[in-house]
């Protein structure tokens, strides 16, 4: 067999950048045939040269000339949403890794699935918005969805080769973010700079802020439901500040399997790309001397209500998860612009979800309409 040919969407972000490192490390097995990003075109061009990638796309249609000037002659440049879809559906592509933050990855991922491409999925929003549709399309076209999030990769590795009926519950771990142990009163005065100081992981702005509010874990609960076909009441969350146990699975006999590693996103990225094989990773091995203690605690859902939003969205279903996600994205943007307080993020999500008239088993068009409605509604709320 030849090298696996992949496309990386969101190449210049945190996950995308780590995927480029993994691909460079595994150059004998992985060939990157396409890279896509919206901004940071200088970094995109650097990645093209590192990997000698033949195709590059920016989703910003106005940036095509700039991208062309930056790229070497062996790499074609394209721009816009249609160019992104054309890239992921090229006949030579085997797998698409989607690391686009937000909802922009939904259309290209669906197009890639319908073209028979396997998906390595790092964009939580795709399954949060349209999990029912995405999983149905994946089954219809016989493609595999591989989790890239460290939590879902951990669960996948714990249940791999085991009977589904033997799984009792999934236990997602959370670092607790920078405000673990804070009171609601203290959180009223949090700034964006404070919220971006994550104690464990180095991530992009949106994911880091979601981690601070625990909305990141809310999205992961919904993602886990679709990836592993499990009811919401069998998905739990525990706080694990050291972030070395990435998630756990409890079986019906009461035993628990946990997946551990040094907190480095290259581990789950590499496994998504090389499954079913393990390969030497070129990353730091686990050092027990650094982690003499590992601890767990339950999340304070009175102070951090985000998890309740996820369970409510799954319980009521339909368009509500998409509305929850869109309201969060709108609120996070307002917080970044110093228009609202940190705690207003939860208030805006709650009010938007409460006002929404749910459509059960929605079409993609109805999901996208609900997403637009939620963004508009959330942006007009006076929290």
């Amino acid at each position: 067999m030849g090298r696996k040919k992949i496309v990386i969407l969101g190449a210049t972000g945190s996950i995308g950048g780590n995927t480029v490192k993994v691909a460079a490390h595994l150059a004998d097995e992985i060939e990157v045939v396409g890279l896509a990003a919206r901004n940071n075109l200088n970094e995109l061009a650097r990645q093209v040269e590192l990997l000698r990638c033949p195709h590059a796309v920016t989703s910003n249609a106005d940036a095509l000339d700039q991208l062309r000037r930056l790229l070497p002659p062996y790499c074609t440049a394209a721009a816009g949403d249609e160019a992104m879809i054309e890239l992921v559906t090229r006949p030579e592509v085997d797998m698409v890794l989607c690391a686009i933050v937000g909802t922009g990855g939904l259309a290209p991922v669906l197009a890639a699935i319908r073209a028979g491409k396997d998906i390595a999925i790092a964009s939580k929003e795709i399954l949060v918005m349209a999990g029912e549709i995405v999983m149905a399309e994946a089954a219809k076209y016989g493609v595999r969805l591989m989790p890239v999030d460290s939590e879902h990769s951990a669960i996948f590795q714990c249940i791999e080769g085991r009977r589904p009926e033997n799984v009792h519950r999934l236990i997602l771990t959370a670092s607790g973010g920078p405000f673990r142990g804070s009171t609601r009163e203290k959180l009223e005065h949090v700034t964006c700079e404070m919220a971006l100081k994550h104690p464990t992981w180095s991530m992009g702005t949106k994911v880091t802020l979601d981690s601070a509010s625990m909305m990141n874990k809310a999205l992961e609960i919904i993602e886990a439901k679709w990836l592993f076909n499990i009811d919401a009441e069998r998905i739990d969350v525990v706080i694990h500040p050291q972030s070395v146990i990435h998630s756990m699975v409890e079986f019906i006999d009461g035993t628990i399997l946990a997946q551990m590693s040094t907190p480095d996103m290259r581990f789950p990225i590499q496994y998504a790309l090389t499954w079913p094989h393990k390969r030497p990773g070129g990353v730091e091995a686990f050092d027990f001397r650094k982690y003499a203690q590992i601890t767990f605690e339950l999340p304070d859902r009175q102070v951090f209500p985000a998890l309740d939003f996820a369970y409510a969205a799954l319980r009521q279903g339909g368009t509500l998860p998409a509305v929850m996600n869109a309201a969060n994205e709108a609120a996070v943007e307002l917080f970044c612009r110093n228009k609202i307080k940190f705690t207003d993020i939860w208030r805006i999500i709650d009010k938007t979800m409460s006002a929404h008239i749910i459509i059960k088993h929605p079409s993609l068009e109805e999901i996208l309409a609900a997403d637009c409605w939620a963004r508009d509604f959330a942006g007009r709320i006076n929290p």
Side-chain angles (χ1 to χ4, degrees), residues 21 31 35 37 44 70 80 109 151 199 221 227 251 270 348 382:
K21 292 176 184 176
E31 180 183 357
L35 292 165
L44 186 64
L70 291 169
V109 162
E151 296 83 356
I221 289 170
L227 280 172
F251 296 91
Q270 179 167 298
I348 287 173
N382 182 359

Side-chain angles (χ1 to χ4, degrees), residues 202 216 251 277 374 381 383:
S202 176
N216 200 41
F251 296 91
H277 306 291
I381 290 174

Side-chain angles (χ1 to χ4, degrees), residues 175-182 187 190 194-199 208-209 211-213 304 342:
S175 69
F179 306 129
R180 182 173 63 90
S182 291
L187 293 178
V190 160
M194 293 163 64
L196 287 172
K197 292 180 178 178
H198 196 279
T208 305
L209 292 177
S211 180
S213 70
F304 295 89
F342 181 74

